Amino acid sequence: MGILVGLSCWAFIIMCLNNVDCTHSEIIAEDLIAVSETDTRASSDSESSSCGCHSLKRDTVVNIDRKVSLLSEQAAVKYSKRANDGMEVNQEHSQDLDIPNKMVLIPAGEFLMGTNNPEIPQDGEGPQRRVHLDQFYIDIHEVSNQEFQKFVNATNYVTEAEKFGDSFVFEGLLSEAVKSQISQAVAAAPWWLPVKGANWRHPEGPDSTITDRLDHPVLHVSWSDATAYCTWAGKRLPTEAEWEYACRGGLSDRLFPWGNKLHPKGQHYANLWQGEFPVQNTGEDGYTRTSPVMSFPANGYGLYNMVGNAWEWTSDWWSIHHTTDELHNPKGPAAGHDRVKKGGSYMCHKSYCYRYRCAARSQNTPDSSASNLGFRCASHNKQ
Ligand SMILES: *[C@@H]1O[C@H](CO)[C@@H](O)[C@H](O)[C@H]1NC(C)=O
């Protein structure tokens, strides 16, 4: 199945390469395939109004003009000192790579899921509905490279990106050497490039490694890979409802895990994009790509990076239609095409991907992987 998808992807590229009529704009108009974090402004213009800011899919690459580079060479690495003051405890933890992911108990309760003031209505952020949940445990941070390495060492697991031989990487992270070998991009979001040899061990392609970021979230893991990891660890992926309840940290109807202000007391509370997407990331929050899994302040439940850093897979199938009936332990639609991901990533900026809110959501096919997509696990029992 994976091989078939992979083949159709490359067949599509070859088709485009051989077809002079296969222009970028035609493909956009025909396919209307957007990726996560597509410009929400673009979604209001006629050409992409039906795109709904979807997912990265393995069969939606198009040719790109190599003369147009979206890379900002001078992304400053400004360290937001004030934001990181008082975070010594976190940094201590993040350097102790032997700490396995701790879980915290999220008490049973009810909460308001979604929002009646959707920022991105086409994502199905509304309507707000009352949801009751049993207690559950959830990882306090995203699964790290080191944790995933432990899993692979123990099981010889091969991820889908490794089987496909490629994965999506944000152009701004790629070396010139890798970029020069790529001639395709994602239709409605040309900053995504399918990079041969990109996978969890090599997040920006063959010339990159994870050795200097073992405490960062594992990336380039598909929904199936994430499920395999959680199962191995005696856990499971959280449902979307569990994830959102955990994100809210005990607060009701707030935008972010910590409240409604993006920068309380002028500080950064999440790893997001500062600057102008996609050309300039100033790194004002201290990071231009992922950050250690326990960076930035934890929310009321003690959970790190619920928004920003890496998107997180949930177990639910994707649908934008929700009942307003009160539900108990909802698990999402019985079937579907895409899986729900939550939380946004280090690439999110209000101008094009205002999805670092607890009610925000997006989707990808279960075999998709990318340089901003990871996961954390949940469980009914303490591990
Ligand atoms: C996985 O195996 C490699 C090679 O033996 C080793 O260097 C690495 O420390 C192991 N990782 C973990 C997390 O155990």
Side-chain angles (χ1 to χ4, degrees):
M1 155 88 190
I3 292 166
L4 280 179
V5 177
L7 281 176
S8 70
C9 162
W10 290 111
F12 180 81
I13 294 164
I14 290 161
M15 198 181 78
C16 286
L17 292 175
N18 293 337
N19 182 350
V20 287
D21 295 331
C22 194
T23 62
H24 195 149
S25 61
E26 269 183 28
I27 291 166
I28 290 174
E30 240 172 64
D31 280 33
L32 285 176
I33 304 289
V35 295
S36 60
E37 298 163 337
T38 296
D39 194 331
T40 53
R41 291 166 305 186
S43 65
S44 61
D45 69 48
S46 60
E47 192 178 59
S48 50
S49 59
S50 64
C51 86
C53 299
H54 293 174
S55 45
L56 288 174
K57 291 176 185 154
R58 287 196 167 273
D59 56 358
T60 60
V61 289
V62 297
N63 301 332
I64 53 169
D65 182 348
R66 294 297 335 160
K67 283 175 292 202
V68 181
S69 178
L70 299 164
L71 174 68
S72 163
E73 300 290 351
Q74 71 281 46
V77 189
K78 251 198 284 175
Y79 195 76
S80 179
K81 177 130 180 21
R82 265 206 300 163
N84 290 284
D85 274 352
M87 288 173 53
E88 300 78 19
V89 181
N90 308 350
Q91 281 164 10
E92 223 171 77
H93 279 299
S94 68
Q95 277 158 20
D96 187 348
L97 295 175
D98 280 335
I99 293 183
N101 212 326
K102 292 200 182 94
M103 301 189 95
V104 291
L105 177 68
I106 309 297
E110 59 175 59
F111 79 110
L112 295 173
M113 184 168 175
T115 173
N116 285 332
N117 301 299
E119 296 284 346
I120 309 176
Q122 64 268 32
D123 283 353
E125 295 179 1
Q128 193 171 65
R129 59 266 183 209
R130 189 169 297 276
V131 166
H132 302 257
L133 291 176
D134 294 340
Q135 69 169 45
F136 61 97
Y137 292 84
I138 191 163
D139 290 346
I140 61 171
H141 57 73
E142 291 158 346
V143 172
S144 67
N145 282 317
Q146 201 222 17
E147 290 175 284
F148 200 78
Q149 191 181 59
K150 194 172 280 183
F151 159 62
V152 170
N153 281 5
T155 61
N156 293 318
Y157 183 84
V158 179
T159 61
E160 293 202 273
E162 290 167 287
K163 288 180 197 162
F164 284 121
D166 62 21
S167 188
F168 287 107
V169 184
F170 171 55
E171 172 170 17
L173 301 180
L174 292 173
S175 69
E176 289 301 327
V178 168
K179 271 198 295 176
S180 67
Q181 289 167 19
I182 300 170
S183 55
Q184 296 86 32
V186 174
W191 47 84
W192 282 111
L193 304 183
V195 174
K196 284 199 180 114
N199 58 52
W200 73 275
R201 298 173 205 272
H202 305 289
E204 295 87 37
D207 61 356
S208 63
T209 82
I210 55 168
T211 51
D212 59 343
R213 42 189 149 148
L214 287 171
D215 58 348
H216 286 222
V218 64
L219 305 171
H220 298 294
V221 280
S222 67
W223 184 90
S224 310
D225 300 331
T227 301
Y229 174 91
C230 292
T231 303
W232 171 78
K235 306 178 186 179
R236 59 179 173 78
L237 285 175
T239 65
E240 181 181 7
E242 288 172 338
W243 190 99
E244 187 168 326
Y245 184 50
C247 180
R248 294 180 179 282
L251 302 175
S252 180
D253 201 18
R254 301 297 206 283
L255 291 171
F256 311 119
W258 56 86
N260 277 335
K261 284 179 74 177
L262 180 57
H263 298 127
K265 297 179 210 141
Q267 300 186 2
H268 289 282
Y269 270 57
N271 182 4
L272 305 171
W273 184 288
Q274 295 86 43
E276 191 190 334
F277 188 88
V279 291
Q280 191 207 19
N281 186 346
T282 65
E284 191 185 291
D285 57 11
Y287 303 95
T288 56
R289 49 173 81 178
T290 58
S291 46
V293 292
M294 289 176 73
S295 43
F296 299 94
N299 77 357
Y301 290 143
L303 305 174
Y304 293 88
N305 293 303
M306 288 303 289
V307 299
N309 211 15
W311 279 99
E312 300 180 15
W313 288 111
T314 74
S315 57
D316 291 27
W317 287 110
W318 171 263
S319 165
I320 58 168
H321 305 290
H322 315 292
T323 175
T324 51
D325 296 348
E326 285 193 28
L327 295 177
H328 289 78
N329 302 309
K331 292 179 164 46
H337 184 262
D338 292 342
R339 296 287 184 175
V340 176
K341 63 178 182 179
K342 297 282 278 184
S345 79
Y346 64 91
M347 289 173 60
C348 279
H349 185 276
K350 190 169 183 178
S351 68
Y352 78 104
C353 171
Y354 189 23
R355 290 195 176 83
Y356 41 90
R357 294 167 293 114
C358 294
R361 52 207 302 273
S362 189
Q363 90 266 36
N364 283 109
T365 55
D367 64 358
S368 299
S369 59
S371 58
N372 66 343
L373 178 50
F375 68 103
R376 79 181 68 208
C377 308
S379 172
H380 278 305
N381 308 306
K382 198 172 174 69
Q383 296 304 302

